[in-house]
Amino acid sequence: MTRHVPPPPPAARPGFDHVETWIFDLDNTLYPAHAQLWPQVDQRITLFLAEMFGLDGLSARALQKYYYTRYGTTLKGLMDEHAIEPADFLDFAHQIDLSLLDPDPDLGEAIEKLPGRKLILTNGSRQHAENVATKLGIRDHFEEIFDIVAADFVPKPEARTYEKFLDLHGVDPAKSAMFEDLAKNLVVPAALGMTTVLVLPKTFDPHREAHEQTAVDAPYVHHTTKALADFLRTNTPLREAAETRDGA
């Protein structure tokens, strides 16, 4: 029987004074829902399945949900069950229009002032992350991008993906913070000792599952925000750490 562990009281939740490495998911974390990027990727995945199997839209969508639920990503399901070439899938899925994504100088400034290293950890492709981060105007603030290819196509929330990421980049999880839009992807980071932040959309996104857009009261979710730049800028430990560094 799984033992329920209640979340720690607010005063016991870890802060950020000790953080030396800041790790960010990409999709629906570093950009807002109104940019309409994820719905495009989602629709491209459905279209890929429709064309691959000769399915109508509804059937392709149902198959997509099956793969996502069972394997964590549609790509992992297609690789395991049909041995597809992952590069073809990733290229197709990420051929999207970035015109609705505006540069975010507030976010860029907030990330730049964080003391220490900044990394992106995504289930998407490196090129997709490069394109999005560049359009946002924040790419130069990140040391490196760890994508699904670097993870050997094993997606978050699998523990071995985080472990490979930590080993590859020499990251101490006890001195790290993880920012994610999916609560399930914070379970392993919290268990490894990271401080975790769940990033929620400001408004409901009909293209995503409802349970993925609601606050989660769990011991592995230490902080929650609907405004990432504001959180980074106004959270006292972050601000004081940045001011200490700049004044040194």
Side-chain angles (χ1 to χ4, degrees), residues 56-134:
D56 61 75
L58 288 177
S59 299
R61 186 69 176 172
L63 183 60
Q64 181 180 349
K65 292 292 184 181
Y66 161 75
Y67 284 139
Y68 177 74
T69 301
R70 180 169 181 179
Y71 294 96
T73 63
T74 303
L75 174 58
K76 187 68 165 59
L78 289 172
M79 291 180 66
D80 285 2
E81 293 195 9
H82 301 281
I84 73 158
E85 172 52 54
D88 295 339
F89 174 92
L90 291 170
D91 289 345
F92 187 92
H94 293 134
Q95 289 178 18
I96 60 174
D97 179 12
L98 298 178
S99 62
L100 292 180
L101 181 64
D102 296 321
D104 193 339
D106 287 342
L107 179 61
E109 181 181 7
I111 292 174
E112 181 181 21
K113 288 184 176 180
L114 295 174
R117 306 167 66 195
K118 300 103 181 186
L119 302 161
I120 292 175
L121 171 54
T122 177
N123 277 346
S125 70
R126 182 186 186 90
Q127 189 60 58
H128 175 59
E130 294 275 6
N131 293 342
V132 171
T134 299

Side-chain angles (χ1 to χ4, degrees), residues 20-71:
E20 297 178 354
T21 304
W22 309 84
I23 307 160
F24 294 83
D25 172 51
L26 178 76
D27 289 309
N28 296 313
T29 297
L30 286 175
Y31 61 78
H34 67 252
Q36 292 294 295
L37 299 194
W38 178 249
Q40 293 184 64
V41 175
D42 199 37
Q43 292 164 10
R44 295 286 294 175
I45 293 173
T46 304
L47 181 58
F48 185 93
L49 293 175
E51 293 182 352
M52 178 176 178
F53 296 107
L55 300 172
D56 61 75
L58 288 177
S59 299
R61 186 69 176 172
L63 183 60
Q64 181 180 349
K65 292 292 184 181
Y66 161 75
Y67 284 139
Y68 177 74
T69 301
R70 180 169 181 179
Y71 294 96

Side-chain angles (χ1 to χ4, degrees), residues 183-202:
K184 66 180 181 179
N185 289 350
L186 294 176
V187 175
V188 172
L192 290 170
M194 296 186 196
T195 299
T196 64
V197 182
L198 180 63
V199 181
L200 297 173
K202 290 183 178 180

Side-chain angles (χ1 to χ4, degrees), residues 165-191:
F165 164 80
L166 296 172
D167 289 343
L168 180 64
H169 295 293
V171 173
D172 180 354
K175 297 179 180 179
S176 303
M178 181 78 207
F179 295 78
E180 259 281 356
D181 69 299
L182 296 177
K184 66 180 181 179
N185 289 350
L186 294 176
V187 175
V188 172

